[in-house]
């Protein structure tokens, strides 16, 4: 049963990431996604101390705000400060991450939150943290419920606004001319990336979220020429990574999240060689 | 305070080593960072720092020892490999640089985490030191480690010193470097190698995630103060060194505090201050300059208005009432009070109760502005084919930027005109 | 007076009044004043870096203007968006994007769809019709990454055609396309013009100007001339357009940039 919950959690994270990651790659904003996944940390810590507990809703809010702030700061330093984008990303996320780590350590005595868990999470604890209904029966692990909610939100967003995401990603100036605001969709997407990061960080850790954002989507991008297929394929690759990742971690007795990423990397490598070989 | 004195007098020999070590590490990454910065490849540092993890783990698995020299070899190899993988993906597929960067970074790191947890779970007691690579610990820089890392830092710095000219060229203008026959590939390899080395050593101090900052942040901050690479490198090293000392001090005085994040925090504060306040390029400084130009515009516009009133009445030094000024040009009351006070202080106008009149300096300046305004209007109609009724606004801005040298050329070009498109006289 | 080379028309479809645009504070278009008559095919001509694309982007509200205004059909762009179509430069998008030809052409219908609505059958029919017009109907399922330069340009034109606009702006539609495509595109533009639609094209090939355009705008940072081709496309005006930038103007532009001036203070 534990294995089931762990694979389910991993799959939920992987599918959420794969969908958002596809758009990040096509918008050439992968590294902004990377930056967000690091810089939500102070948001989580501050939310933790405002709410006094690991109450998920506050953490989602805190991370969401920090994610948008990161996106804004990167743009701000780039536009107003004329700092090149790569440096703007690098300075912004390391600064916020450092702030987050300092806050964490400062409060380390009274918190169940530490660097280790943020960096590489612990999906193995997912089945222990259950949510109960009013009769005291276990409904399911908390992480599964939160992640289902996040995935639902992402699916709803992509299905409802597929058209807008498609046009603003492919041709931003044309979108603007026909009256579709590119900025609005940019920030909405980055907000969702932040939500996903924070919802996943307990299980896979912030840095490995980046791998799940990019690797399955990049693999799918290599072997298809259709956006809808790319979204489905990258989700499938995500689920495969979760499944075989669990199996791999069991085999070598190592971190499940690390193993999931390793499998995602292997899937990418296979796609890479298929494409290279065909040429 | 006592701690501070204790720290800086190096009462314990240990402190001396830690300070020395962190400064060297910080400087070497700050110097290398300048090159990755101008190549617009700052995030390469981030890739390498994540990618050394599997190398470290594998070399530990292979040798069973925590000897820094073995670990560095492993780290060096996997750091290099991550760059090769990244470049191969960009070259051979339609995947763009951003995704290739993120992919290489995160997958190498994921593999590293898997290997590290494997080592931990296998119950090998001697693994305990490996995770300092993840989070960094400046205070752990003692004995053999310190020696190893210092040597590498010195190698990095010497290499930069030796190849300064070549690195500068391949970073700024690789095309030109190729044309004049520099061995670009080999030089790129050396530059990448020292980048990897700088990262490998820096990680010891600040850890994987924040290592990127040690490369990028001092360089980005220094860039706001100078346009010259040599000065940028010096400044960036100074910033790095300062954060190094502070880091060592923090780890000494408050051992429970995370050293790496504080070092990065200090660097970030330096960078933020530079972004906003650096003379010339700082965001706020530029805002301020815009503000003071607006003030200058107001003053010059006032003087011009005085001049025009004088032109109409034929008497330039008569007193002028505030209402008269407003009749000619629509100044707000606040603008008038502020502008006139400034003019009074600068000696361009004098005051007689509620009336004002031009001084000689004020007259001359008002005349010059009017003259430039009309010259520019003439230029616009003659050379830009702009209708005479449209040129006024543009001239209102340009009159304030024209230098005496441009003024002379403008006059010559227009063949020393005497009247503007509206048939007003251009004063001499 | 020298500005007789800028011909103003009555009831223009496009009117630009006193337009100044700056990049990074440096003015790249100075005080442009022009008007275009309805139903004409109009070419914007000038050397590289003269601000041709910038002029179109300013009209499309894609870059900020420092001063002046643009009126289309005597209204602002926001009021007439649905009557306006824009074909950006082919290189401005990533053709590796995972989309089919039909996907891209359908984008032209998005303006009329609004939120939550997906393209319907009628939209697909319109897209197919547009593809037929540009001779690409057989390629509707083709992936855009597999198209040649000329085919990419045809797809972009088809996307614009589905908008059924009254005025079309095309940014370098003939750059890097094969001769057959150039001919086909011009034919379509001609037909549109016969229907009374106005076409404005950024163009760089002087050879074909007289064949293609009834109206010519000569541009080099400032407006050199605007008028019917025979009157404006003259050696002396071309010499003025291509004879190098006005150094004085460029230098003043740099001074403005250094001083961090807004090229013109907004009142």
């Amino acid at each position: 049963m534990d294995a089931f919950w762990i694979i389910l959690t991993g799959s939920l994270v992987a599918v959420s990431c794969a969908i958002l990651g596809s758009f990040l790659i096509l918008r050439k904003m992968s590294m902004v996604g990377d930056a967000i996944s690091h810089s939500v940390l102070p948001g989580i810590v501050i939310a933790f101390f405002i709410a006094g507990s690991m109450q998920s809703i506050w953490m989602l809010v805190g991370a969401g705000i920090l994610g948008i702030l990161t996106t804004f700061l990167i743009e701000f330093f780039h536009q107003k400060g004329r700092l090149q984008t790569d440096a703007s990303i690098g300075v912004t996320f390391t600064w916020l991450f450092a702030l987050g780590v300092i806050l964490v350590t400062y409060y380390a005595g009274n918190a169940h939150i530490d660097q280790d868990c943020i960096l590489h999470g612990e999906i193995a604890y997912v089945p222990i943290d259950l949510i109960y209904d009013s009769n005291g029966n276990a409904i399911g692990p908390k992480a599964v419920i939160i992640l289902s909610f996040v995935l639902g939100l992402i699916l709803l967003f992509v299905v409802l606004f597929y058209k807008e995401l498609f046009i603003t990603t492919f041709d931003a100036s044309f979108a603007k001319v026909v009256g579709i605001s590119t900025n609005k969709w940019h920030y909405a997407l980055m907000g969702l990336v932040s939500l996903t990061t924070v919802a996943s960080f307990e299980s896979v850790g912030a840095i490995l979220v980046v791998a799940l954002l990019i690797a399955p989507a990049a693999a799918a991008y290599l072997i298809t020429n259709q956006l809808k297929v790319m979204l489905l394929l990258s989700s499938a690759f995500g689920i495969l990574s979760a499944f075989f990742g669990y199996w791999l971690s069991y085999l070598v007795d190592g971190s499940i999240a690390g193993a999931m990423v390793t499998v995602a990397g292997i899937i990418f490598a296979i796609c890479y060689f298929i494409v290279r070989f065909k040429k | 305070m006592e701690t501070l004195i204790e720290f800086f007098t190096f009462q314990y020999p240990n402190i001396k080593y830690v300070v020395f070590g962190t400064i060297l590490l910080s400087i070497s990454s700050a110097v290398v960072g300048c090159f990755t910065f101008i190549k617009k490849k700052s995030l390469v540092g981030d890739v390498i720092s994540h990618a050394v993890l599997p190398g470290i783990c594998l070399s530990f698995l292979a040798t069973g020892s925590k000897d820094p020299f073995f670990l560095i070899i492993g780290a060096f190899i996997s750091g290099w490999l991550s760059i090769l993988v990244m470049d191969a993906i960009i070259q051979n597929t339609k995947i763009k640089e951003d995704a290739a960067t993120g992919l290489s970074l995160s997958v190498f790191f994921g593999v590293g985490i898997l290997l590290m947890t494997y080592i931990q779970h296998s119950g090998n007691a001697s693994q305990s030191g490996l995770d300092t690579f993840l989070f960094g610990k400046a205070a752990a820089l003692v004995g053999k480690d310190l020696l190893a890392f210092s040597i590498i830092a010195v190698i990095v710095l010497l290499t930069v010193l030796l190849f300064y000219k070549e690195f500068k060229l391949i970073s700024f203008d690789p095309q030109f470097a190729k044309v004049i026959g520099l061995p670009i590939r080999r030089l790129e390899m050396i530059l990448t190698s020292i980048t990897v080395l700088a990262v490998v050593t820096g990680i010891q101090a600040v850890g994987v995630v924040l290592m990127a900052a040690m490369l990028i942040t001092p360089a980005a901050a220094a860039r706001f103060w100078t346009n010259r690479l040599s000065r940028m490198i010096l400044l960036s090293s100074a910033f790095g060194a300062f954060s190094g000392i502070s880091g060592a001090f923090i780890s000494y005085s408050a051992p429970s505090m995370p050293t790496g994040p504080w070092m990065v925090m200090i660097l970030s504060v330096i960078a933020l201050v530079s972004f906003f306040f650096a003379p010339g390029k700082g965001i706020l400084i530029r805002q301020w300059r815009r503000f003071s130009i607006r003030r200058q515009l107001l003053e010059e516009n006032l003087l011009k208005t005085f001049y025009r009133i004088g032109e109409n009445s034929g008497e330039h030094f008569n007193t002028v009432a505030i209402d008269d000024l407003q009749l000619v040009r629509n100044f707000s009351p606040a603008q008038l009070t502020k502008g006139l006070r400034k003019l009074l202080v600068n000696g361009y106008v004098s005051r007689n109760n509620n009336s004002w009149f031009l001084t000689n300096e004020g007259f001359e300046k008002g005349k010059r502005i009017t003259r430039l305004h009309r010259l520019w209007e003439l230029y616009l109609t003659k050379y830009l084919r702009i209708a005479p009724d449209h040129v006024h606004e543009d001239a209102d801005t340009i009159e304030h930027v024209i230098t005496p040298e441009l003024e002379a050329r403008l006059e010559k070009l227009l063949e020393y005109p005497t009247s503007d498109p509206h048939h007003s006289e251009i004063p001499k | 007076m020298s500005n007789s080379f800028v011909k103003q028309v009555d009831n223009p479809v496009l009117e630009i009044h006193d337009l100044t645009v700056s990049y990074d504070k440096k003015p790249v278009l100075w005080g442009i004043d022009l008007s275009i008559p309805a139903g004409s095919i109009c070419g914007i001509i000038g050397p590289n870096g003269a601000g041709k694309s910038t002029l179109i982007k300013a009209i499309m509200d894609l870059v900020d203007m420092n001063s002046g205004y643009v009126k289309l059909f005597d209204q602002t762009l926001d009021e007439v968006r649905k009557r306006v179509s824009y074909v950006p430069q082919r290189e401005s998008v990533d053709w590796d994007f995972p989309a089919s030809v039909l996907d891209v052409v359908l984008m032209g219908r998005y303006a009329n769809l609004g939120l939550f609505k997906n393209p319907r059958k009628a939209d697909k029919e319109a897209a197919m019709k547009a593809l037929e017009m540009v001779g690409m109907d057989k390629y509707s399922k083709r992936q855009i990454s597999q198209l040649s330069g000329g085919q990419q340009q045809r797809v972009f034109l088809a996307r614009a055609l589905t908008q059924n606009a009254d005025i079309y702006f095309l940014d370098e539609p003939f750059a890097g396309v094969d001769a057959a495509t150039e001919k086909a595109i011009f034919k379509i533009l001609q037909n549109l013009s016969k229907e009374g639609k106005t076409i404005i094209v950024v163009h760089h090939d002087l050879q074909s100007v007289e064949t293609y355009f009834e109206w010519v705008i000569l541009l080099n940072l400032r407006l050199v001339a605007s008028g019917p081709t025979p009157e404006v496309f003259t050696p002396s005006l071309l010499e003025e357009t291509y004879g190098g930038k006005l150094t004085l103007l460029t230098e003043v532009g740099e001074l403005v940039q250094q001083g961090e001036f807004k090229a013109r203070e907004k009142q």
Side-chain angles (χ1 to χ4, degrees):
Chain A
M1 199 57 191
D2 279 3
F4 169 75
W5 287 123
I6 291 171
I7 292 173
L8 181 61
T9 311
S11 303
L12 288 170
V13 174
V15 173
S16 306
C17 287
I19 293 171
L20 294 175
S22 298
F23 286 105
L24 284 182
I25 287 185
L26 293 174
R27 287 172 170 249
K28 304 177 184 64
M29 313 225 62
S30 314
M31 292 314 285
V32 179
D34 177 62
I36 289 176
S37 68
H38 289 76
S39 57
V40 293
L41 179 58
I44 295 171
V45 182
I46 293 167
F48 178 80
F49 289 102
I50 290 174
S53 71
M54 297 280 264
Q55 260 184 343
S56 303
I57 187 73
W58 284 106
M59 310 236 299
L60 289 180
V61 171
I65 293 172
L66 255 288
I68 302 281
L69 180 72
T70 309
T71 318
F72 170 78
L73 282 177
I74 291 173
E75 278 293 298
F76 177 78
F77 291 140
H78 177 56
Q79 306 258 338
K80 296 280 168 186
R82 303 179 192 172
L83 185 64
Q84 58 203 47
T85 319
D86 58 333
S88 181
I89 292 173
V91 172
T92 307
F93 90 80
T94 51
W95 166 49
L96 289 170
F97 188 78
L99 178 70
V101 176
I102 290 170
L103 286 175
V104 167
T105 340
Y106 191 66
Y107 294 113
N110 47 18
H112 301 288
I113 181 169
D114 63 27
Q115 296 196 62
D116 250 302
C117 135
I118 287 142
L119 278 177
H120 42 99
E122 197 40 271
I123 202 169
Y125 297 148
V126 163
I128 303 169
D129 193 3
L130 298 173
I131 280 187
Y132 299 92
D133 66 10
S134 50
N135 299 326
N137 298 320
I139 302 169
K142 203 168 102 194
V144 170
I145 289 164
I146 295 168
L147 286 166
S148 309
F149 168 74
V150 171
L151 178 59
L153 202 67
I154 292 171
L155 287 176
L156 201 67
F157 177 75
V158 172
V159 169
L160 283 182
F161 305 119
Y162 179 81
K163 177 166 100 286
E164 282 76 14
L165 286 170
F166 181 62
I167 191 171
T168 54
T169 307
F170 175 64
D171 190 346
S173 38
F174 187 77
K176 225 180 141 193
V177 170
V178 300
I180 296 173
S181 154
T182 43
N183 250 342
K184 202 167 72 189
W185 297 105
H186 174 65
Y187 280 102
L189 196 64
M190 294 307 161
L192 281 178
V193 171
S194 334
L195 281 192
T196 311
T197 309
V198 73
S200 329
F201 93 99
E202 275 183 90
S203 37
V204 293
I207 297 173
L208 299 182
V209 168
V210 180
L212 294 177
L213 275 172
I214 301 174
Y221 178 55
L222 279 183
I223 57 173
T224 177
N225 277 323
Q226 268 179 292
L227 181 54
K228 279 179 187 157
V229 178
M230 177 174 166
L231 291 171
L232 290 175
L233 258 182
S234 62
S235 305
F237 288 157
I239 294 171
L240 284 180
S241 308
F243 185 78
F244 286 106
Y246 179 78
W247 178 74
L248 176 66
S249 83
Y250 181 77
L251 206 72
V252 302
D253 186 23
S255 143
I256 300 172
M260 280 172 62
V261 174
T262 307
V263 174
I266 294 170
I267 293 175
F268 176 83
I270 293 171
C271 292
Y272 175 83
F273 285 113
I274 289 176
V275 171
R276 288 287 289 159
F277 188 67
K278 262 166 96 179
K279 275 183 189 167
Chain B
M1 198 58 211
E2 255 173 57
T3 350
L4 203 66
I5 295 164
E6 211 172 86
F7 177 75
F8 279 108
T9 48
F10 300 125
Q11 287 181 10
Y12 303 97
N14 220 356
I15 304 174
K16 216 182 294 178
Y17 297 130
V18 173
V19 171
F20 182 69
T22 41
I23 289 180
L24 259 183
L25 294 187
S26 311
I27 291 182
S28 66
S29 32
V31 169
V32 171
C34 288
F35 290 102
T36 55
F37 180 91
I38 52 175
K39 288 169 71 119
K40 298 201 190 312
K41 292 204 173 229
S42 293
L43 292 168
V44 157
D46 202 23
V47 177
I48 300 172
S49 72
H50 285 81
V52 296
L53 190 61
I56 290 169
C57 294
L58 283 175
S59 102
F60 175 77
L61 283 172
T63 62
S65 104
K66 266 184 0 185
D67 188 311
F69 284 100
F70 290 123
L71 296 186
I72 287 169
I73 290 172
F76 183 79
I77 293 172
S78 69
W80 242 109
L81 203 61
S82 70
I83 299 297
L84 291 180
V85 166
M86 193 176 104
D87 286 343
I89 292 174
I90 296 173
Q91 293 231 324
N92 299 329
T93 73
K94 56 183 178 177
I95 290 175
K96 311 293 180 298
E97 189 173 351
D98 65 308
T101 308
L103 186 74
S104 178
L105 175 164
S106 57
V107 171
F108 269 82
F109 187 69
V111 174
I113 291 284
L114 180 64
L115 288 170
M116 203 172 85
T117 43
Y118 165 71
I119 295 170
Q120 278 166 353
H121 294 175
S122 64
N124 193 331
S126 62
Q127 57 78 27
S128 58
L130 283 185
D131 57 357
T132 57
F133 271 99
L134 267 183
F135 305 115
K137 198 162 174 48
L141 284 175
V142 284
K144 210 172 170 189
D145 286 7
L146 181 70
L147 186 70
F149 292 116
S150 305
I151 290 173
I152 293 181
V154 170
I155 292 175
V156 168
L157 290 174
L158 283 179
T159 316
V160 171
L161 211 60
L162 204 62
F163 292 103
Y164 173 72
K165 253 196 353 272
E166 286 79 5
F167 286 168
K168 183 175 165 180
L169 208 54
I170 59 168
S171 310
F172 271 120
D173 193 350
Q175 302 285 335
F176 180 68
K178 201 169 180 182
V179 171
I180 63 165
L182 283 183
I184 302 222
R185 281 189 70 100
R186 232 171 299 159
L187 285 168
E188 288 277 1
M189 259 179 69
I190 298 173
L191 190 54
T192 307
S193 298
I194 60 168
T195 311
V196 176
L197 282 177
V199 169
V200 171
T201 53
I203 285 179
Q204 277 290 300
V206 297
V208 164
V209 179
L210 294 174
M211 186 53 221
M214 301 294 287
L215 286 162
I216 305 169
T217 311
R223 185 68 187 85
F224 275 75
W225 299 85
T226 174
N227 285 324
R228 288 185 45 190
L229 179 63
S230 53
R231 286 203 196 127
M232 186 177 151
I233 290 179
L234 286 179
L235 255 179
S236 145
S237 320
F239 295 153
F242 180 74
S243 83
I245 297 177
S246 319
F249 175 67
I250 289 163
S251 80
Y252 170 73
S253 59
S256 65
M257 271 293 157
T259 320
W262 272 109
M263 285 169 69
V264 172
M265 203 60 198
I266 288 160
L267 278 179
S268 302
V269 170
I270 294 175
L272 290 178
V273 169
S274 308
F275 293 172
F276 284 102
F277 301 107
K281 296 187 182 181
I283 297 169
L284 281 181
I285 296 295
R286 290 213 320 263
Q287 290 287 350
W288 165 253
R289 206 183 302 142
R290 213 168 292 157
F291 171 75
S292 56
I293 279 170
R294 209 170 299 148
R295 217 173 44 199
Q296 180 207 335
L297 286 183
L298 174 65
E299 287 172 41
E300 296 188 353
N301 285 337
L302 274 169
L303 288 174
K304 196 173 62 178
T305 313
F306 272 105
Y307 182 85
R308 286 196 48 195
I309 293 172
E311 212 175 33
N312 288 340
S313 67
E315 192 43 74
H316 279 294
F317 298 96
N318 274 357
T319 57
V320 173
I322 284 185
D323 291 349
D324 295 337
L325 288 170
Q326 270 174 319
L327 271 180
V328 179
R329 196 186 169 100
N330 195 12
F331 294 106
S332 74
Q335 276 181 321
L336 277 174
T337 0
K338 225 168 51 184
L340 285 172
R341 199 191 312 140
K342 207 68 194 164
L343 288 177
L344 191 65
V345 171
N346 292 339
Y348 290 126
V349 295
S350 291
R351 180 179 191 165
N352 188 357
N353 291 328
N354 251 344
S355 297
W356 305 74
F357 57 92
L358 286 177
T359 63
N360 246 328
E361 288 83 32
F363 168 72
E364 285 302 327
K365 197 158 181 195
K367 188 167 88 178
R368 176 156 189 271
I369 303 290
T370 311
R371 179 181 145 72
L372 293 178
H373 181 94
R374 290 176 184 168
L375 274 174
W376 187 252
E377 282 193 345
L378 195 61
Y379 176 75
L380 289 182
T381 45
K382 250 187 137 161
Y383 283 85
L384 272 71
R385 302 179 199 298
I386 295 175
D389 57 329
H390 283 167
V391 292
H392 177 77
E393 275 180 51
D394 197 89
D396 244 8
T397 309
I398 303 303
E399 68 192 22
H400 306 285
V401 298
I402 289 177
T403 59
E405 185 259 340
L406 275 171
E407 180 186 344
R409 281 174 50 196
L410 207 53
E411 262 203 304
K412 196 174 161 213
L413 192 71
L414 297 166
E415 293 163 344
Y416 304 96
T418 50
S419 68
D420 77 356
H422 314 291
H423 310 293
S424 302
E425 186 203 347
I426 297 177
K428 282 272 168 277
Chain C
M1 203 67 207
S2 50
N3 53 324
S4 60
F5 294 122
V6 178
K7 187 161 179 180
Q8 304 291 344
V9 297
D10 296 330
N11 300 322
V13 277
L14 169 67
E15 183 194 355
I16 298 175
H17 182 90
D18 201 16
L19 173 91
T20 298
V21 179
S22 311
Y23 276 144
D24 206 11
K25 309 278 178 330
K26 181 176 174 177
V28 288
L29 285 177
W30 291 79
I32 309 290
D33 241 327
L34 59 84
S35 52
I36 302 290
S40 54
I41 303 188
C42 160
I44 303 177
I45 319 287
N48 282 335
K52 299 180 302 256
S53 294
T54 309
L55 180 61
I56 286 202
K57 284 184 184 148
I59 299 169
M60 295 286 102
D61 197 22
L62 293 171
V63 294
D64 291 337
M65 25 187 152
N66 293 102
S67 73
Y69 61 79
V70 171
K71 281 194 165 176
L72 294 149
F73 312 104
D74 211 25
Q75 283 171 300
T76 64
L77 176 66
D78 275 327
E79 291 166 322
V80 292
R81 261 182 210 285
K82 287 183 183 169
R83 298 176 65 187
V84 178
S85 179
Y86 168 56
V87 181
Q89 276 182 28
R90 197 157 48 83
E91 291 84 21
S92 67
V93 302
D94 172 14
W95 290 93
D96 284 336
F97 196 90
S100 70
V101 166
L102 187 64
D103 289 339
V104 173
V105 176
L106 272 174
M107 281 182 193
R109 306 290 293 181
Y110 284 11
N112 297 313
L113 283 173
L115 275 182
F116 305 120
K117 293 226 180 67
N118 283 319
R120 288 154 191 277
K121 209 173 155 203
D123 298 308
K124 280 185 188 143
E125 277 163 10
M128 283 310 293
K129 213 180 120 209
L131 277 173
E132 212 177 295
M133 279 173 75
V134 299
M136 290 282 291
D137 45 329
K138 288 194 194 74
Y139 296 89
S140 70
K141 297 234 163 58
R142 178 75 63 98
Q143 297 308 315
I144 57 169
S145 53
Q146 294 159 359
L147 300 178
S148 71
Q151 290 171 326
Q152 291 173 352
Q153 195 63 59
R154 287 171 191 238
V155 169
F156 258 21
L157 182 62
R159 180 175 73 174
L161 290 175
T162 61
Q163 288 180 279
N164 260 329
D166 292 319
I167 185 166
Y168 290 82
F169 293 89
L170 295 88
D171 199 344
E172 299 264 13
F174 301 123
V177 304
D178 51 291
T181 301
E182 177 157 350
K183 219 168 161 185
I185 291 179
F186 177 62
K187 187 95 195 126
I188 293 166
L189 296 184
Q190 241 177 348
N191 288 338
L192 287 172
S193 153
K194 275 182 200 142
E195 292 168 30
K197 311 201 165 187
T198 310
I199 324 283
I200 293 168
V201 181
V202 170
H203 193 62
H204 66 281
D205 175 26
L206 290 177
Q207 302 294 323
S208 47
V209 169
E210 280 166 304
T211 344
Y212 285 176
F213 304 116
E214 301 152 12
W215 192 278
V216 164
I217 295 171
L218 292 176
L219 198 70
N220 191 355
L221 301 184
R222 84 283 185 198
L223 181 67
V224 178
S226 162
T229 312
E231 287 170 37
V232 165
F233 199 68
T234 60
S236 67
L237 283 174
L238 280 174
E239 164 71 35
E240 199 183 321
T241 314
Y242 284 85
K245 298 195 167 96
L246 295 175
T247 50
L248 213 123
L249 191 70
T250 320
E251 278 173 48
V252 170
E254 270 154 21
L255 279 179
V256 172
Q257 181 181 31
Q258 282 160 18
E260 308 276 334
F261 273 91
K262 287 233 160 82
R264 205 171 289 172
E265 293 288 317
K266 273 195 181 146
Q267 297 292 319

